[in-house]
Amino acid sequence: MRAFTYERARDPVAAARAAAARPGVKFLAGGTNLLDLMKLEIEAPAHLVDVQDIGLDSIEATREGGLRIGALVTNSDLASDMRVRRDYPVLTRAIVAGASGQLRNKATTAGNLLQRTRCPYFYDTNMACNKRRPGSGCAAIGGLSRQLGVIGVSDACIATFPGDMAVAMRVLDATIETVNADGGCRTIPIAGFHRLWGDHPEQDTVLKPGELITAVTLPRPLGGRHVYEKVRDRASYAYALVSVAAVIQADGSGRVAFGGVAPRPWRVEEADALLPQGAAAVTACAFRGATPTRDNAFKLPLATRALAAAIGRATS
Ligand code: SF4
């Protein structure tokens, strides 16, 4: 691990100001992804701004009938909150499908959104990786790509966003709130929070340098039956090959988002409208233009089968 300096921030604006004051700064919250990356020297920040003491650890009802989740609410606390379990069960189910109990006790809402890809070449510093070292190439293209993306990828990177929580948040149309060094706030729909890789896979999100996530807001509950279906190589503690977050209403209408297939939670609203026609119609629309590799083409029929299972569970 490379040497770095460290400070604890007292409030969100002070944290953003400290991060904007110099290059090479990272925020530290639960540390469940960042510290691993630092030990492997994939991330080598010159300075860490610890945000664990700045509040932002409560879940509050909004005037619009939704919930505002502080950025530092742990995954365990979010999954077990009675309002989330009652009104947004797809979110609880997605969170408990990820990581382990110990990690969920430390991992935060903001950190979960910011976790980096699990592409094996990203973690192997001997291999070319445009995300780790821009311009170095992509060892996954033409290499082992079974776990990687089938849509929204580029000639520079075919990695996926690895999380579960964000897939449920995408189906719920969550918004992400941030603050910058001047105290300015902005709200980012989760649909546009994670970038498609394009020519710059080193940039995972639309956050600007020093911009700090303060909260995630969920709109009013959607009702309906909530399902999170995750297909993975082993029964626990594994990332999704394909996952499906679905909210299905009694008349068969609903919403669906997919994980494990793209650089962001993948939802095509036009495909939602096809839910009454069945899983194959939805995935034919949602994955139009997909560019799978020989290794991961199985993800396309798997997505259809996972969605069919989710619809079956929601309507049984
Ligand atoms: Fe790196 Fe992306 Fe290629 Fe993986 S797919 S090696 S993360 S550039």
Side-chain angles (χ1 to χ4, degrees):
M1 185 184 281
R2 306 249 182 99
F4 59 90
T5 51
Y6 168 92
E7 71 179 280
R8 289 181 93 99
R10 295 180 313 280
D11 61 69
V13 176
R17 199 168 290 147
R22 59 172 103 175
V25 179
K26 287 279 182 186
F27 297 118
L28 174 67
T32 56
N33 190 203
L34 178 61
L35 295 183
D36 282 348
L37 294 170
M38 288 174 66
K39 288 175 196 168
L40 294 166
E41 297 191 1
I42 294 163
E43 297 267 16
H47 186 67
L48 287 183
V49 177
D50 190 329
V51 294
Q52 293 181 87
D53 294 340
I54 63 172
L56 307 180
D57 56 357
S58 62
I59 304 172
E60 293 159 6
T62 67
R63 267 182 292 186
E64 293 76 26
L67 284 181
R68 186 170 185 273
I69 303 156
L72 296 175
V73 171
T74 67
N75 291 177
S76 294
D77 286 348
L78 180 56
S80 61
D81 184 276
M82 286 310 297
R83 295 162 294 183
V84 175
R85 293 177 63 181
R86 182 189 63 214
D87 297 330
Y88 307 95
V90 68
L91 182 54
T92 291
R93 290 178 182 135
I95 292 170
V96 300
S100 65
Q102 293 94 331
L103 287 168
R104 293 193 294 269
N105 287 342
K106 282 299 287 178
T108 64
T109 300
N112 196 319
L113 291 170
L114 295 173
Q115 65 183 293
R116 307 211 68 191
T117 186
R118 262 65 184 188
C119 171
Y121 299 106
F122 177 71
Y123 284 81
D124 185 343
T125 53
N126 294 312
M127 303 301 286
C129 173
N130 287 322
K131 181 176 282 296
R132 177 168 29 77
R133 194 150 54 88
S136 63
C138 171
I141 296 175
L144 300 172
S145 55
R146 180 173 178 275
Q147 293 177 311
L148 303 182
V150 296
I151 196 161
V153 295
S154 75
D155 290 343
C157 179
I158 58 171
T160 57
F161 172 76
D164 295 292
M165 181 195 80
V167 183
M169 288 181 168
R170 178 67 183 93
V171 93
L172 296 169
D173 271 341
T175 53
I176 295 156
E177 297 172 28
T178 69
V179 69
N180 66 23
D182 300 325
C185 300
R186 72 168 171 149
T187 300
I188 306 165
I190 194 167
F193 181 74
H194 295 99
R195 290 178 184 272
L196 300 183
W197 302 140
D199 293 334
H200 289 284
E202 74 279 10
Q203 298 171 6
D204 289 352
T205 72
V206 298
L207 288 179
K208 298 185 174 126
E211 191 173 11
L212 176 73
I213 296 175
T214 51
V216 175
T217 298
L218 304 179
R220 292 174 64 85
L222 296 169
R225 300 282 295 273
H226 292 212
V227 177
Y228 191 73
E229 191 79 31
K230 180 173 180 179
V231 183
R232 46 190 159 177
D233 278 331
R234 55 175 185 253
S236 72
Y237 202 46
Y239 298 95
L241 292 168
V242 170
S243 68
V244 178
V247 176
I248 310 288
Q249 306 296 337
D251 64 1
S253 66
R255 300 176 177 188
V256 59
F258 297 89
V261 292
R264 58 170 57 144
W266 194 255
R267 179 173 167 218
V268 175
E269 276 85 347
E270 192 188 342
D272 289 350
L274 301 174
L275 265 167
Q277 296 177 33
V282 173
T283 54
C285 179
F287 291 95
R288 191 177 297 143
T291 54
T293 66
R294 190 184 56 188
D295 285 354
N296 67 19
F298 72 93
K299 288 193 175 191
L300 296 173
L302 186 59
T304 303
R305 290 200 293 275
L307 177 58
I311 295 170
R313 281 214 275 147
T315 55
S316 62

